[in-house]
Amino acid sequence: MESGVECADVVHGDYFMGGMMVINGLMAVVLLLSGLFHSFLRRLGQPSIISHILAGVVVGPTFLGRAVDLRRLGMQNAGSALGDTIYYLRIIFMFFLGLEMDLRYLRHNLRRSLLLACGGSAISFLLAVAAGPFFYGMLHPSSAATFHPQKLYASTALFILVLTSTASPVLIRIVTELKLTTSETGQLAIGAAFATDIVSLTAISMMVVNPTIFGHDGKPLPSRSSSTSCSTQLILFLWMALVVCVAVGVAVRAARLMNRMRRGRQYVSKYELLGMLLLIVGLSLAVQFMGYSASMAAFLIGLAVPREGPLARTLVDRLTYPVHQMVMPLCFGAIGARLDFAEIGRFTATQFAFAVAFTTAVSSAGKVGGTVLVGRWLGMSAREALVLGFLLNVKGYSDILAINLADKSNVWGDTAQVVLVVASILNTFMAGPASAAIVRQQRRAFKYRSHCLQELRVEQELRVLVCVHGAGGVQAMLTLAELSKGSSAPVAVYLLHLVELQTARKYAITHLYNNQSLDSKEEEDARWGYSWEMEQVTAAVHGFTTYDYDAAVPVPVRQMTAISSLASMDADVRNGVEDARASLVIVPFHKEQRYDGRMVSRRGGDGRRQLNQRILQRARCTVGILVERRLPGIPPSISAAPTPMPERDHDLEALQQGEEEAMQQVVAVFLSGADDREAVAYATRLSAHPWVSVSVSRFMLPEESRRRMGMSMSEEEAEDEEFMAEVRARFVSPGQVTYTERYVSNGVETLESLSSMVGECSLFVVGRGGGGAARNTMTRGMAGLEVEEEECPELGAVGEVLASDDFLGCCSCASVLVLQQHKLHRRMRTWKKHKHKQHSQSQSLPFFPDAAADDDDILDCDWNYD
């Protein structure tokens, strides 16, 4: 009686403040424990949702609930208390979940993604149909006396949803945290997860319209529609669908209206954002009042909101952090807080473990087995298909909704719900290590497999990462990336905007996405902040168009931004190289061309020069430094489609003259060494472009000079001869590349020969250095210009001369690209030569192979990076 009086007092509000303090304490504990758990579990490749659920279990009746009796404060348990408190936040979370699920992502690899989703779900469906009755009978042994077929059907249907579901939000976080988004495996997994999640949520939405509630005797309770006919239920379903469509239509119309009002602006104001969120919550509650679920209505609204315009951009930018860091832990923590492992009824620990193992095995066998079968049928490797199967077996959202629906309908008891939640956690646990294993494999393959241009066939995909410091360098970098494509070879272009973090502009980070509501002075300050720089680069990227010459469609440019100090910016570049799996990274020279043609060092020139030197030293791919002197682009009218043949002779002459003016003249300078071979290999790829003319100029020592200095052919020169023989056979003989040989005895003659090329080309492609004694002899004395010795060692001797303002009185208009082959490839080649030396004294790796190098030989090496 005394406890009943206390509960009544609480209901009347006597202990309202005490209850609020307890709720706030529970939320704080969930957030704290979730962060602590995730700090340890993320090292095992586990997503954050596992930590959220475990934090809820600790707060729930299993642990903390035994020490604190929340019923004395009018609360049933911690799970219901948290769930009721964050009810409106759950609506925002569901809306944001739908907003993140961009259906346009399914366009990438649509057929393969749908086939993988159907394969895994089909096998899981068959296994769930077969194992559903056994699961229900195993966990409800006392229901034999009160068995009702309709409850068994409902249990099997929900069991199918649990087993066939894939939590796309959880999978996206796993793929993102492990940096798999650019890989084909990650893209296929996300596409298949989207398709599976949409089907699962659609099925749950239909079940929510008219759920059947069961009593303790197993029979369905009478409801408003239980005694109605099928036609009446169909009319009810259509009415609910109409209500949801109207709510979705109102939200979409409001979003489009707000986008039109803010056309040309980057973001909407905070008041407009708040009004839109209130409208979404109001529409969801209105739909709930009509008999549908508010959470599912919010999800459908988020799925339908337009992704273009300032509204969607503001919603994503403003809601990402609070939803992921606060709302999501509380939502999944409330689910874990409902679980009570002590209330497993009459089941022993062995029986409970068997039930969990059975459910986990059935789910894994269906998803993994079906995905592997379809993957092998699509031509994937067994390892890749197996990893996709484990990734698509990730649980954590649709299955949780199905379990909650079963709880509200009294389909399953507490023990069944605990078993299914634990099985979902174990399935997600298995996906983490599997994903981490594939990431390690990809990192290891990237670390040791050759990525140099010299061994990349012209028809193979070239992955290029270009770096810019501002909008002024976008045109030249993307023009160079466009020329790298050739006529039919695929190219993946990644643009990394390097933004220097400065103390005087710290405020710009916090106001990066909030420059709409500033006063005039703050707007003027923000105009020169990070946001303004990023907007200018984005506009320059959008203004530049690259074309696919077979289909005349734009080639996508993937844009990234890194904000850091110049001292640590090389780490961002290396991470970008790994994320893009690039074979070539191009960085801008620290000097820029002034209006009078001279190269000057502008803001942060010394820091950018040191940055380039660190990238040359540490990057694990071929590095290029572009000295840009107004590199001309290709007009879209010429590059988009071939020009029809004219009818008159003077028109033909004008057309030929226009084509000659539009042609890019590229000269590759070859002296000796791996860097020069890399430069020629890149130039041969440029020669495949229909509007590029490539000429290779080889500088050689005369035989009498070699004899006078007592030079014999070294291993480096033997590789040069073999490489150039391959170039002549594959590119010079068919007429694709012109080839000339120039004999020079010292640096002065080399300088004179280079001077004769000025005005004949728009781009020089040279190697940085190396090459041994012959190259040193041909470059000795080139510093006779009015420049200091080794002023720019990152360019090498030849590159420094071509980039110098004193080169022919600064009249050279040609840009210069200096390439350095990554050191890892050089060490690998040296190791391979020593390994096979016993078979052949002059044997070396092919320079244009039909297949990649043997990975087993590479992986056996023990490399040291100093």
Side-chain angles (χ1 to χ4, degrees):
M1 180 66 66
E2 182 179 355
S3 60
V5 174
E6 291 180 359
C7 290
D9 293 338
V10 172
V11 172
H12 286 87
D14 292 344
Y15 297 97
F16 176 76
M17 293 303 298
M20 289 296 297
M21 293 177 62
V22 171
I23 291 296
N24 292 332
L26 288 176
M27 291 191 296
V29 172
V30 168
L31 295 176
L32 178 61
L33 292 179
S34 177
L36 291 177
F37 289 156
H38 187 56
S39 64
F40 292 101
L41 294 178
R42 67 181 178 182
R43 301 177 182 177
L44 302 178
Q46 300 302 322
S48 57
I49 185 176
I50 301 295
S51 304
H52 305 335
I53 296 178
L54 292 180
V57 171
V58 174
V59 173
T62 305
F63 295 98
L64 189 59
R66 294 184 174 276
V68 180
D69 188 6
L70 296 180
R71 290 176 298 179
R72 298 177 62 87
L73 294 174
M75 306 174 191
Q76 183 179 358
N77 52 52
S80 61
L82 287 174
D84 296 340
T85 304
I86 63 172
Y87 178 78
Y88 297 103
L89 294 179
R90 188 185 295 111
I91 295 177
I92 300 297
F93 172 69
M94 290 296 297
F95 165 75
F96 186 77
L97 188 67
L99 186 66
E100 279 190 324
M101 194 176 295
D102 193 352
L103 298 181
R104 294 176 300 179
Y105 198 93
L106 289 174
R107 298 177 185 176
H108 306 285
N109 301 316
L110 177 62
R111 173 179 171 272
R112 302 177 73 190
S113 298
L114 292 180
L115 288 176
L116 289 169
C118 292
S121 300
I123 303 298
S124 298
F125 178 85
L126 296 177
L127 292 179
V129 170
F134 175 76
F135 171 82
Y136 180 79
M138 177 177 60
L139 296 178
H140 302 84
S142 61
S143 62
T146 59
F147 174 75
H148 197 279
Q150 191 172 354
K151 189 172 185 179
L152 179 61
Y153 300 153
S155 174
T156 304
L158 292 171
F159 190 66
I160 291 173
L161 280 176
V162 172
L163 264 63
T164 57
S165 66
T166 298
S168 59
V170 181
L171 185 140
I172 291 173
R173 278 156 185 78
I174 293 177
V175 171
T176 303
E177 291 173 1
L178 299 177
K179 298 181 180 180
L180 287 175
T181 51
T182 59
S183 66
E184 185 180 8
T185 303
Q187 294 175 359
L188 288 174
I190 294 175
F194 273 172
T196 305
D197 227 356
I198 291 172
V199 174
S200 301
L201 291 172
T202 302
I204 294 176
S205 300
M206 298 174 64
M207 291 181 178
V208 170
V209 172
N210 186 24
T212 302
I213 309 299
F214 294 90
H216 296 288
D217 56 355
K219 296 181 180 181
L221 299 177
S223 61
R224 61 180 181 180
S225 60
S226 59
S227 59
T228 58
S229 61
C230 295
S231 59
T232 305
Q233 294 186 7
L234 179 60
I235 294 175
L236 178 62
F237 177 79
L238 294 177
W239 166 250
M240 292 296 177
L242 178 62
V243 170
V244 173
C245 290
V246 170
V248 172
V250 170
V252 172
R253 187 64 180 268
R256 290 176 178 172
L257 178 62
M258 194 171 296
N259 286 334
R260 283 198 298 267
M261 292 173 56
R262 289 294 181 177
R263 182 175 299 172
R265 303 298 294 270
Q266 185 86 10
Y267 303 97
V268 301
S269 65
K270 56 185 177 182
Y271 302 106
E272 293 169 333
L273 175 63
L274 179 61
M276 189 63 190
L277 293 178
L278 291 177
L279 176 62
I280 293 169
V281 174
L283 290 174
S284 302
L285 295 177
V287 170
Q288 184 183 29
F289 179 77
M290 302 300 294
Y292 192 64
S293 171
S295 299
M296 295 307 303
F299 171 78
L300 295 176
I301 292 174
L303 202 63
V305 166
R307 267 52 176 184
E308 300 83 7
L311 178 61
R313 192 180 302 115
T314 307
L315 287 170
V316 172
D317 292 340
R318 294 295 182 85
L319 295 181
T320 297
Y321 182 82
V323 169
H324 288 171
Q325 301 299 325
M326 297 184 64
V327 180
M328 187 176 175
L330 294 177
C331 289
F332 288 100
I335 295 172
R338 292 193 182 101
L339 302 179
D340 188 0
F341 288 88
E343 297 293 336
I344 59 175
R346 67 189 64 81
F347 293 93
T348 63
T350 304
Q351 293 173 333
F352 179 79
F354 175 79
V356 172
F358 170 78
T359 307
T360 304
V362 172
S363 177
S364 301
K367 278 290 184 182
V368 177
T371 305
V372 169
L373 290 177
V374 175
R376 295 295 290 169
W377 181 69
L378 291 175
M380 298 181 184
S381 63
R383 181 183 58 83
E384 182 181 4
L386 188 64
V387 170
L388 276 173
F390 279 107
L391 284 174
L392 293 179
N393 196 34
V394 168
K395 309 295 181 182
Y397 189 69
S398 298
D399 55 319
I400 299 297
L401 292 180
I403 294 172
N404 288 339
L405 179 60
D407 182 33
K408 296 178 181 178
S409 303
N410 294 325
V411 176
W412 293 324
D414 295 336
T415 306
Q417 297 179 37
V418 172
V419 168
L420 289 172
V421 171
V422 174
S424 298
I425 293 176
L426 291 179
N427 286 322
T428 309
F429 256 110
M430 289 188 294
S435 303
I438 185 61
V439 168
R440 287 194 297 268
Q441 180 68 20
Q442 289 183 348
R443 295 290 188 268
R444 189 182 301 114
F446 181 87
K447 183 177 179 180
Y448 293 112
R449 186 179 298 132
S450 174
H451 287 267
C452 68
L453 305 178
Q454 181 182 337
E455 294 193 355
L456 192 67
R457 298 196 304 268
V458 177
E459 61 273 12
Q460 285 183 330
E461 181 187 35
L462 175 64
R463 307 182 73 87
V464 184
L465 175 68
V466 295
C467 303
V468 296
H469 293 285
V474 171
Q475 190 271 341
M477 286 294 185
L478 294 186
T479 297
L480 196 58
E482 177 187 348
L483 298 179
S484 305
K485 183 181 185 301
S487 58
S488 60
V491 60
V493 182
Y494 296 82
L495 186 139
L496 179 60
H497 180 200
L498 302 175
V499 182
E500 182 182 358
L501 180 63
Q502 296 182 3
T503 306
R505 282 159 48 185
K506 281 183 178 178
Y507 80 97
I509 295 179
T510 57
H511 292 79
L512 184 59
Y513 304 113
N514 190 29
N515 291 334
Q516 311 303 326
S517 58
L518 301 178
D519 56 27
S520 58
K521 183 179 184 303
E522 289 176 332
E523 269 191 16
E524 185 67 21
D525 293 339
R527 179 179 179 86
W528 307 106
Y530 299 113
S531 180
W532 175 258
E533 292 182 9
M534 294 168 63
E535 291 175 4
Q536 290 299 304
V537 171
T538 302
V541 172
H542 290 170
F544 184 92
T545 306
T546 56
Y547 286 89
D548 186 337
Y549 299 95
D550 295 331
V553 296
V555 176
V557 177
R558 301 165 179 85
Q559 184 177 349
M560 301 176 290
T561 303
I563 303 178
S564 61
S565 62
L566 288 176
S568 60
M569 196 172 284
D570 61 296
D572 296 322
V573 177
R574 295 199 307 272
N575 293 334
V577 169
E578 291 191 9
D579 293 344
R581 304 194 311 281
S583 300
L584 172 64
V585 56
I586 304 177
V587 296
F589 189 48
H590 68 276
K591 292 183 178 181
E592 301 175 3
Q593 190 175 26
R594 204 167 56 184
Y595 64 92
D596 58 354
R598 299 191 67 86
M599 302 296 295
V600 296
S601 180
R602 300 189 185 274
R603 182 191 64 188
D606 293 338
R608 294 180 181 181
R609 175 187 173 186
Q610 296 175 5
L611 170 65
N612 292 344
Q613 293 175 352
R614 291 194 300 270
I615 294 174
L616 285 169
Q617 182 181 2
R618 302 173 183 176
R620 294 181 177 178
C621 71
T622 297
V623 181
I625 298 180
L626 178 62
V627 183
E628 199 268 323
R629 288 193 176 101
R630 300 186 182 95
L631 181 66
I634 297 179
S637 59
I638 295 179
S639 61
T643 305
M645 294 299 296
E647 297 179 356
R648 298 182 178 87
D649 294 339
H650 66 276
D651 293 336
L652 178 60
E653 294 178 359
L655 176 63
Q656 292 177 349
Q657 182 178 1
E659 290 182 355
E660 291 177 358
E661 293 177 355
M663 289 289 289
Q664 296 274 7
Q665 304 293 332
V666 179
V667 173
V669 179
F670 182 87
L671 278 74
S672 178
D675 293 344
D676 285 0
R677 293 196 296 269
E678 197 78 347
V680 173
Y682 181 69
T684 56
R685 175 173 285 271
L686 297 180
S687 66
H689 197 283
W691 299 101
V692 175
S693 175
V694 175
S695 175
V696 176
S697 295
R698 184 180 184 184
F699 290 75
M700 304 175 64
L701 281 175
E703 287 297 330
E704 42 191 54
S705 298
R706 298 180 63 90
R707 287 195 300 268
R708 184 172 61 253
M709 291 182 291
M711 289 186 181
S712 59
M713 179 171 290
S714 62
E715 293 184 359
E716 190 79 26
E717 292 176 332
E719 292 182 11
D720 293 340
E721 292 295 333
E722 185 177 354
F723 172 76
M724 294 307 298
E726 189 76 15
V727 170
R728 288 193 295 268
R730 294 191 57 182
F731 300 99
V732 178
S733 297
Q736 188 174 351
V737 174
T738 60
Y739 175 77
T740 58
E741 292 182 352
R742 300 170 184 264
Y743 290 92
V744 294
S745 301
N746 50 52
V748 176
E749 296 181 5
T750 302
L751 183 61
E752 294 176 354
S753 183
L754 290 174
S755 302
S756 64
M757 302 180 190
V758 175
E760 300 178 357
C761 65
S762 58
L763 176 66
F764 282 102
V765 183
V766 300
R768 183 191 178 198
R775 182 186 178 92
N776 295 334
T777 302
M778 289 184 287
T779 57
R780 186 179 298 117
M782 289 184 64
L785 299 176
E786 296 179 4
V787 295
E788 297 180 1
E789 185 79 16
E790 296 292 333
E791 180 184 1
C792 299
E794 65 271 16
L795 298 181
V798 178
E800 184 176 355
V801 167
L802 294 176
S804 173
D805 288 334
D806 299 314
F807 188 56
L808 290 185
C810 190
C811 65
S812 174
C813 297
S815 301
V816 183
L817 178 63
V818 181
L819 294 178
Q820 173 189 275
Q821 189 181 84
H822 64 291
K823 298 178 180 179
L824 173 62
H825 174 71
R826 301 179 186 178
R827 297 180 183 179
M828 182 194 69
R829 293 176 59 83
T830 303
W831 179 83
K832 294 274 294 183
K833 286 190 296 182
H834 286 302
K835 178 179 179 182
H836 297 288
K837 189 174 182 180
Q838 55 182 341
H839 301 290
S840 175
Q841 296 295 329
S842 60
Q843 184 179 1
S844 60
L845 288 176
F847 299 100
F848 297 95
D850 295 330
D854 189 0
D855 291 339
D856 294 335
D857 295 337
I858 301 173
L859 293 176
D860 289 339
C861 302
D862 185 15
W863 306 113
N864 294 318
Y865 297 93
D866 299 328

